[in-house]
Amino acid sequence: MKNKIIIANWKMNYNFYETTNFLRNLLKFFNHDKKIHNNKKIIIAPSYPFLHISNQIVQGTNIHIASQNMFHIEKGSYTGEISAIMLKSIGIQNVILGHSERRIYFNETNKTLLQKIHISLKNRLKIIFCIGETLNEKNNNQQFISIQKQLEETIFLCSIKEIENLIIAYEPIWAIGTGQFPIPNEVQKMHNHIRLLFQNKYGKFVSDKIHILYGGSINEFNCKDFFQQKDVDGGLVGNSSLEIDKFLSIIKAS
Ligand code: PGA
């Protein structure tokens, strides 16, 4: 059994005080009860302006900080964008790429995502890569094909060495922020499918090792059912990561 990874994606929610208070409180809980987070990796993704302070707060703990995004070019006249080099310069080690909200609201395509992947790898950022099917694809039983295509046009164009530290987050688009979620058995089927795709491409050693997380309306009640599935190695949590009690329950259940 692999150690579980729990990621909090705070999206565009917390300001400076909320971010820093949350992290300090989380550390207090962790110091108080080491069992909560033993053998687990916790990654928090605050907004850009607070990445630096967040990273300082969690130094020396087993909480890690991730950026929610980055630009697909390293440097230049791109007003308002943030590069991999900038993230590295403040000690950030992880980046979420391909979140469906980025694909939907900011027109991110597999092509730009591939550029982001290459730049992340060049700058030694660990990638948390999101994939997921639309409701329409699910209703037409196209979800397995859709996921395969998303991987073939991005991650599968990387070498075995490059995907060493990769985390995959399977997030059905229709489940994100909607309160709707697939039954755990469906999640298991998809995770198994993803693992087999990795096995076919890179071999069993890689496919056994890779972390495949589930994301989409995880809450303190349904999380355990997901985490008990054989191929679910943790969760990517949005809304329920914004309240410390709920988030702690989810960590405990993992
Ligand atoms: P949610 O978000 O938990 O609010 O559905 C998950 C995500 O966007 O990663």
Side-chain angles (χ1 to χ4, degrees), residues 6 15 31 49 51 71 73 81 95 134 146 157 168 174 184 187-188 192-193 210 214 233 237:
I6 305 295
N15 65 24
N31 282 335
L51 286 173
F71 197 52
I73 294 170
E81 289 300 335
V95 62
T134 63
S146 166
L157 297 171
I168 291 289
W174 53 272
V187 172
Q188 167 56 26
N192 186 254
H193 173 69
I210 194 158
Y214 169 73
D233 305 315
V237 191

PDB file of all heavy atoms in Angstrom, residues 6 15 31 49 51 71 73 81 95 134 146 157 168 174 184 187-188 192-193 210 214 233 237:
ATOM      1  N   ILE A   6      -3.007  13.751   0.043  1.00  0.00           N
ATOM      2  CA  ILE A   6      -4.226  14.571   0.083  1.00  0.00           C
ATOM      3  C   ILE A   6      -3.842  15.997  -0.321  1.00  0.00           C
ATOM      4  O   ILE A   6      -2.952  16.604   0.285  1.00  0.00           O
ATOM      5  CB  ILE A   6      -4.851  14.593   1.501  1.00  0.00           C
ATOM      6  CG1 ILE A   6      -5.107  13.170   2.010  1.00  0.00           C
ATOM      7  CG2 ILE A   6      -6.146  15.420   1.507  1.00  0.00           C
ATOM      8  CD1 ILE A   6      -6.138  12.373   1.248  1.00  0.00           C
ATOM      9  N   ASN A  15      -7.781  34.904   1.338  1.00  0.00           N
ATOM     10  CA  ASN A  15      -6.860  36.044   1.308  1.00  0.00           C
ATOM     11  C   ASN A  15      -5.647  35.728   2.181  1.00  0.00           C
ATOM     12  O   ASN A  15      -5.496  34.616   2.690  1.00  0.00           O
ATOM     13  CB  ASN A  15      -7.584  37.331   1.748  1.00  0.00           C
ATOM     14  CG  ASN A  15      -8.042  37.261   3.202  1.00  0.00           C
ATOM     15  OD1 ASN A  15      -7.477  36.510   4.011  1.00  0.00           O
ATOM     16  ND2 ASN A  15      -9.064  38.015   3.543  1.00  0.00           N
ATOM     17  N   ASN A  31       0.703  18.920  15.132  1.00  0.00           N
ATOM     18  CA  ASN A  31       1.653  18.781  16.249  1.00  0.00           C
ATOM     19  C   ASN A  31       1.003  18.115  17.442  1.00  0.00           C
ATOM     20  O   ASN A  31       1.620  17.353  18.174  1.00  0.00           O
ATOM     21  CB  ASN A  31       2.177  20.161  16.677  1.00  0.00           C
ATOM     22  CG  ASN A  31       3.229  20.641  15.704  1.00  0.00           C
ATOM     23  OD1 ASN A  31       3.868  19.828  15.047  1.00  0.00           O
ATOM     24  ND2 ASN A  31       3.392  21.949  15.583  1.00  0.00           N
ATOM     25  N   PRO A  49      -0.247  34.936  -4.678  1.00  0.00           N
ATOM     26  CA  PRO A  49       0.438  35.924  -3.816  1.00  0.00           C
ATOM     27  C   PRO A  49       0.872  35.360  -2.471  1.00  0.00           C
ATOM     28  O   PRO A  49       1.698  35.967  -1.789  1.00  0.00           O
ATOM     29  CB  PRO A  49      -0.619  37.019  -3.600  1.00  0.00           C
ATOM     30  CG  PRO A  49      -1.659  36.781  -4.622  1.00  0.00           C
ATOM     31  CD  PRO A  49      -1.619  35.327  -4.960  1.00  0.00           C
ATOM     32  N   LEU A  51       1.986  32.104  -1.943  1.00  0.00           N
ATOM     33  CA  LEU A  51       2.800  30.883  -2.045  1.00  0.00           C
ATOM     34  C   LEU A  51       4.061  30.997  -1.197  1.00  0.00           C
ATOM     35  O   LEU A  51       4.456  30.064  -0.512  1.00  0.00           O
ATOM     36  CB  LEU A  51       3.182  30.623  -3.510  1.00  0.00           C
ATOM     37  CG  LEU A  51       2.058  30.095  -4.406  1.00  0.00           C
ATOM     38  CD1 LEU A  51       2.511  30.053  -5.861  1.00  0.00           C
ATOM     39  CD2 LEU A  51       1.612  28.705  -3.962  1.00  0.00           C
ATOM     40  N   PHE A  71       2.434  29.636 -16.192  1.00  0.00           N
ATOM     41  CA  PHE A  71       2.338  29.929 -17.627  1.00  0.00           C
ATOM     42  C   PHE A  71       3.145  28.901 -18.436  1.00  0.00           C
ATOM     43  O   PHE A  71       4.061  28.284 -17.917  1.00  0.00           O
ATOM     44  CB  PHE A  71       2.839  31.351 -17.891  1.00  0.00           C
ATOM     45  CG  PHE A  71       2.405  31.897 -19.230  1.00  0.00           C
ATOM     46  CD1 PHE A  71       1.067  31.883 -19.604  1.00  0.00           C
ATOM     47  CD2 PHE A  71       3.335  32.430 -20.117  1.00  0.00           C
ATOM     48  CE1 PHE A  71       0.667  32.394 -20.835  1.00  0.00           C
ATOM     49  CE2 PHE A  71       2.942  32.949 -21.350  1.00  0.00           C
ATOM     50  CZ  PHE A  71       1.610  32.924 -21.712  1.00  0.00           C
ATOM     51  N   ILE A  73       5.149  29.436 -20.899  1.00  0.00           N
ATOM     52  CA  ILE A  73       6.422  29.935 -21.442  1.00  0.00           C
ATOM     53  C   ILE A  73       7.251  30.412 -20.254  1.00  0.00           C
ATOM     54  O   ILE A  73       6.698  30.854 -19.243  1.00  0.00           O
ATOM     55  CB  ILE A  73       6.146  31.068 -22.472  1.00  0.00           C
ATOM     56  CG1 ILE A  73       5.419  30.460 -23.686  1.00  0.00           C
ATOM     57  CG2 ILE A  73       7.426  31.800 -22.887  1.00  0.00           C
ATOM     58  CD1 ILE A  73       4.872  31.451 -24.661  1.00  0.00           C
ATOM     59  N   GLU A  81       1.313  37.129 -16.028  1.00  0.00           N
ATOM     60  CA  GLU A  81       1.534  35.676 -15.911  1.00  0.00           C
ATOM     61  C   GLU A  81       2.655  35.343 -14.927  1.00  0.00           C
ATOM     62  O   GLU A  81       3.467  36.190 -14.571  1.00  0.00           O
ATOM     63  CB  GLU A  81       1.841  35.076 -17.289  1.00  0.00           C
ATOM     64  CG  GLU A  81       0.634  35.043 -18.203  1.00  0.00           C
ATOM     65  CD  GLU A  81      -0.525  34.221 -17.646  1.00  0.00           C
ATOM     66  OE1 GLU A  81      -0.285  33.313 -16.836  1.00  0.00           O
ATOM     67  OE2 GLU A  81      -1.682  34.499 -18.023  1.00  0.00           O
ATOM     68  N   VAL A  95       3.338  21.759  -8.817  1.00  0.00           N
ATOM     69  CA  VAL A  95       2.393  22.581  -9.585  1.00  0.00           C
ATOM     70  C   VAL A  95       1.229  21.719 -10.087  1.00  0.00           C
ATOM     71  O   VAL A  95       1.431  20.588 -10.529  1.00  0.00           O
ATOM     72  CB  VAL A  95       3.110  23.302 -10.758  1.00  0.00           C
ATOM     73  CG1 VAL A  95       3.706  22.322 -11.771  1.00  0.00           C
ATOM     74  CG2 VAL A  95       2.180  24.281 -11.462  1.00  0.00           C
ATOM     75  N   THR A 134     -16.202  14.926 -19.470  1.00  0.00           N
ATOM     76  CA  THR A 134     -17.389  15.768 -19.334  1.00  0.00           C
ATOM     77  C   THR A 134     -18.606  14.876 -19.062  1.00  0.00           C
ATOM     78  O   THR A 134     -18.545  13.648 -19.263  1.00  0.00           O
ATOM     79  CB  THR A 134     -17.672  16.550 -20.630  1.00  0.00           C
ATOM     80  OG1 THR A 134     -17.939  15.594 -21.667  1.00  0.00           O
ATOM     81  CG2 THR A 134     -16.507  17.435 -21.038  1.00  0.00           C
ATOM     82  N   SER A 146     -11.932   9.198 -23.590  1.00  0.00           N
ATOM     83  CA  SER A 146     -11.581  10.600 -23.345  1.00  0.00           C
ATOM     84  C   SER A 146     -10.328  10.709 -22.472  1.00  0.00           C
ATOM     85  O   SER A 146      -9.408  11.485 -22.767  1.00  0.00           O
ATOM     86  CB  SER A 146     -12.774  11.304 -22.680  1.00  0.00           C
ATOM     87  OG  SER A 146     -12.376  12.520 -22.148  1.00  0.00           O
ATOM     88  N   LEU A 157       3.590  11.706 -23.858  1.00  0.00           N
ATOM     89  CA  LEU A 157       4.644  12.148 -24.765  1.00  0.00           C
ATOM     90  C   LEU A 157       5.944  12.388 -23.988  1.00  0.00           C
ATOM     91  O   LEU A 157       6.934  12.846 -24.540  1.00  0.00           O
ATOM     92  CB  LEU A 157       4.207  13.413 -25.519  1.00  0.00           C
ATOM     93  CG  LEU A 157       2.977  13.173 -26.421  1.00  0.00           C
ATOM     94  CD1 LEU A 157       2.431  14.472 -26.976  1.00  0.00           C
ATOM     95  CD2 LEU A 157       3.328  12.213 -27.566  1.00  0.00           C
ATOM     96  N   ILE A 168      -1.227  11.853 -10.754  1.00  0.00           N
ATOM     97  CA  ILE A 168      -2.407  12.028 -11.616  1.00  0.00           C
ATOM     98  C   ILE A 168      -3.625  12.271 -10.723  1.00  0.00           C
ATOM     99  O   ILE A 168      -3.815  11.581  -9.721  1.00  0.00           O
ATOM    100  CB  ILE A 168      -2.645  10.760 -12.477  1.00  0.00           C
ATOM    101  CG1 ILE A 168      -1.544  10.587 -13.530  1.00  0.00           C
ATOM    102  CG2 ILE A 168      -4.027  10.779 -13.138  1.00  0.00           C
ATOM    103  CD1 ILE A 168      -1.586  11.581 -14.670  1.00  0.00           C
ATOM    104  N   TRP A 174     -17.897  16.825 -14.360  1.00  0.00           N
ATOM    105  CA  TRP A 174     -19.271  16.993 -13.870  1.00  0.00           C
ATOM    106  C   TRP A 174     -19.349  16.859 -12.357  1.00  0.00           C
ATOM    107  O   TRP A 174     -20.370  17.196 -11.750  1.00  0.00           O
ATOM    108  CB  TRP A 174     -20.193  15.983 -14.554  1.00  0.00           C
ATOM    109  CG  TRP A 174     -19.713  14.564 -14.450  1.00  0.00           C
ATOM    110  CD1 TRP A 174     -18.866  13.934 -15.320  1.00  0.00           C
ATOM    111  CD2 TRP A 174     -20.008  13.622 -13.424  1.00  0.00           C
ATOM    112  NE1 TRP A 174     -18.618  12.651 -14.884  1.00  0.00           N
ATOM    113  CE2 TRP A 174     -19.310  12.431 -13.723  1.00  0.00           C
ATOM    114  CE3 TRP A 174     -20.805  13.655 -12.277  1.00  0.00           C
ATOM    115  CZ2 TRP A 174     -19.377  11.293 -12.926  1.00  0.00           C
ATOM    116  CZ3 TRP A 174     -20.879  12.519 -11.474  1.00  0.00           C
ATOM    117  CH2 TRP A 174     -20.163  11.370 -11.802  1.00  0.00           C
ATOM    118  N   PRO A 184     -18.128   4.897  -5.811  1.00  0.00           N
ATOM    119  CA  PRO A 184     -16.725   4.501  -5.634  1.00  0.00           C
ATOM    120  C   PRO A 184     -16.267   3.416  -6.604  1.00  0.00           C
ATOM    121  O   PRO A 184     -15.143   3.428  -7.082  1.00  0.00           O
ATOM    122  CB  PRO A 184     -16.698   4.003  -4.186  1.00  0.00           C
ATOM    123  CG  PRO A 184     -17.781   4.764  -3.516  1.00  0.00           C
ATOM    124  CD  PRO A 184     -18.856   4.942  -4.528  1.00  0.00           C
ATOM    125  N   VAL A 187     -15.227   4.907  -9.797  1.00  0.00           N
ATOM    126  CA  VAL A 187     -13.924   5.559  -9.642  1.00  0.00           C
ATOM    127  C   VAL A 187     -12.822   4.496  -9.712  1.00  0.00           C
ATOM    128  O   VAL A 187     -11.823   4.661 -10.406  1.00  0.00           O
ATOM    129  CB  VAL A 187     -13.855   6.341  -8.304  1.00  0.00           C
ATOM    130  CG1 VAL A 187     -12.447   6.861  -8.047  1.00  0.00           C
ATOM    131  CG2 VAL A 187     -14.851   7.489  -8.318  1.00  0.00           C
ATOM    132  N   GLN A 188     -13.040   3.385  -9.008  1.00  0.00           N
ATOM    133  CA  GLN A 188     -12.057   2.305  -9.032  1.00  0.00           C
ATOM    134  C   GLN A 188     -11.819   1.824 -10.468  1.00  0.00           C
ATOM    135  O   GLN A 188     -10.676   1.638 -10.889  1.00  0.00           O
ATOM    136  CB  GLN A 188     -12.528   1.151  -8.125  1.00  0.00           C
ATOM    137  CG  GLN A 188     -11.776  -0.153  -8.287  1.00  0.00           C
ATOM    138  CD  GLN A 188     -10.263  -0.038  -8.088  1.00  0.00           C
ATOM    139  OE1 GLN A 188      -9.777   0.860  -7.389  1.00  0.00           O
ATOM    140  NE2 GLN A 188      -9.509  -0.914  -8.752  1.00  0.00           N
ATOM    141  N   ASN A 192      -8.268   2.065 -12.315  1.00  0.00           N
ATOM    142  CA  ASN A 192      -7.633   0.854 -12.824  1.00  0.00           C
ATOM    143  C   ASN A 192      -7.311   1.009 -14.316  1.00  0.00           C
ATOM    144  O   ASN A 192      -6.231   0.614 -14.784  1.00  0.00           O
ATOM    145  CB  ASN A 192      -8.570  -0.334 -12.579  1.00  0.00           C
ATOM    146  CG  ASN A 192      -7.912  -1.630 -12.962  1.00  0.00           C
ATOM    147  OD1 ASN A 192      -8.247  -2.220 -13.972  1.00  0.00           O
ATOM    148  ND2 ASN A 192      -6.936  -2.068 -12.177  1.00  0.00           N
ATOM    149  N   HIS A 193      -8.235   1.606 -15.038  1.00  0.00           N
ATOM    150  CA  HIS A 193      -8.023   1.874 -16.468  1.00  0.00           C
ATOM    151  C   HIS A 193      -6.790   2.759 -16.658  1.00  0.00           C
ATOM    152  O   HIS A 193      -5.920   2.470 -17.497  1.00  0.00           O
ATOM    153  CB  HIS A 193      -9.284   2.566 -17.014  1.00  0.00           C
ATOM    154  CG  HIS A 193      -9.168   3.061 -18.412  1.00  0.00           C
ATOM    155  ND1 HIS A 193      -9.087   2.239 -19.513  1.00  0.00           N
ATOM    156  CD2 HIS A 193      -9.109   4.338 -18.908  1.00  0.00           C
ATOM    157  CE1 HIS A 193      -9.006   2.966 -20.615  1.00  0.00           C
ATOM    158  NE2 HIS A 193      -9.010   4.240 -20.272  1.00  0.00           N
ATOM    159  N   ILE A 210       2.915   4.906  -9.477  1.00  0.00           N
ATOM    160  CA  ILE A 210       2.309   6.226  -9.694  1.00  0.00           C
ATOM    161  C   ILE A 210       1.094   6.449  -8.773  1.00  0.00           C
ATOM    162  O   ILE A 210       0.298   5.531  -8.544  1.00  0.00           O
ATOM    163  CB  ILE A 210       1.933   6.415 -11.181  1.00  0.00           C
ATOM    164  CG1 ILE A 210       1.628   7.883 -11.435  1.00  0.00           C
ATOM    165  CG2 ILE A 210       0.771   5.554 -11.617  1.00  0.00           C
ATOM    166  CD1 ILE A 210       1.774   8.267 -12.865  1.00  0.00           C
ATOM    167  N   TYR A 214      -8.266  10.722  -6.613  1.00  0.00           N
ATOM    168  CA  TYR A 214      -9.603  11.079  -7.082  1.00  0.00           C
ATOM    169  C   TYR A 214      -9.923  12.499  -6.629  1.00  0.00           C
ATOM    170  O   TYR A 214      -9.559  12.899  -5.506  1.00  0.00           O
ATOM    171  CB  TYR A 214     -10.676  10.112  -6.535  1.00  0.00           C
ATOM    172  CG  TYR A 214     -12.051  10.664  -6.821  1.00  0.00           C
ATOM    173  CD1 TYR A 214     -12.554  10.639  -8.117  1.00  0.00           C
ATOM    174  CD2 TYR A 214     -12.788  11.316  -5.827  1.00  0.00           C
ATOM    175  CE1 TYR A 214     -13.771  11.235  -8.415  1.00  0.00           C
ATOM    176  CE2 TYR A 214     -14.003  11.905  -6.120  1.00  0.00           C
ATOM    177  CZ  TYR A 214     -14.487  11.866  -7.420  1.00  0.00           C
ATOM    178  OH  TYR A 214     -15.673  12.474  -7.731  1.00  0.00           O
ATOM    179  N   ASP A 233      -5.242   6.483  -4.620  1.00  0.00           N
ATOM    180  CA  ASP A 233      -4.086   6.750  -3.752  1.00  0.00           C
ATOM    181  C   ASP A 233      -4.191   8.079  -3.019  1.00  0.00           C
ATOM    182  O   ASP A 233      -3.166   8.634  -2.593  1.00  0.00           O
ATOM    183  CB  ASP A 233      -2.803   6.734  -4.597  1.00  0.00           C
ATOM    184  CG  ASP A 233      -2.649   5.437  -5.365  1.00  0.00           C
ATOM    185  OD1 ASP A 233      -2.857   4.374  -4.764  1.00  0.00           O
ATOM    186  OD2 ASP A 233      -2.363   5.488  -6.574  1.00  0.00           O
ATOM    187  N   VAL A 237      -8.938  17.854  -3.145  1.00  0.00           N
ATOM    188  CA  VAL A 237     -10.145  18.352  -2.496  1.00  0.00           C
ATOM    189  C   VAL A 237     -10.278  19.861  -2.714  1.00  0.00           C
ATOM    190  O   VAL A 237      -9.336  20.610  -2.444  1.00  0.00           O
ATOM    191  CB  VAL A 237     -10.092  18.064  -0.972  1.00  0.00           C
ATOM    192  CG1 VAL A 237     -11.445  18.327  -0.333  1.00  0.00           C
ATOM    193  CG2 VAL A 237      -9.636  16.642  -0.700  1.00  0.00           C
TER     194      VAL A 237
END
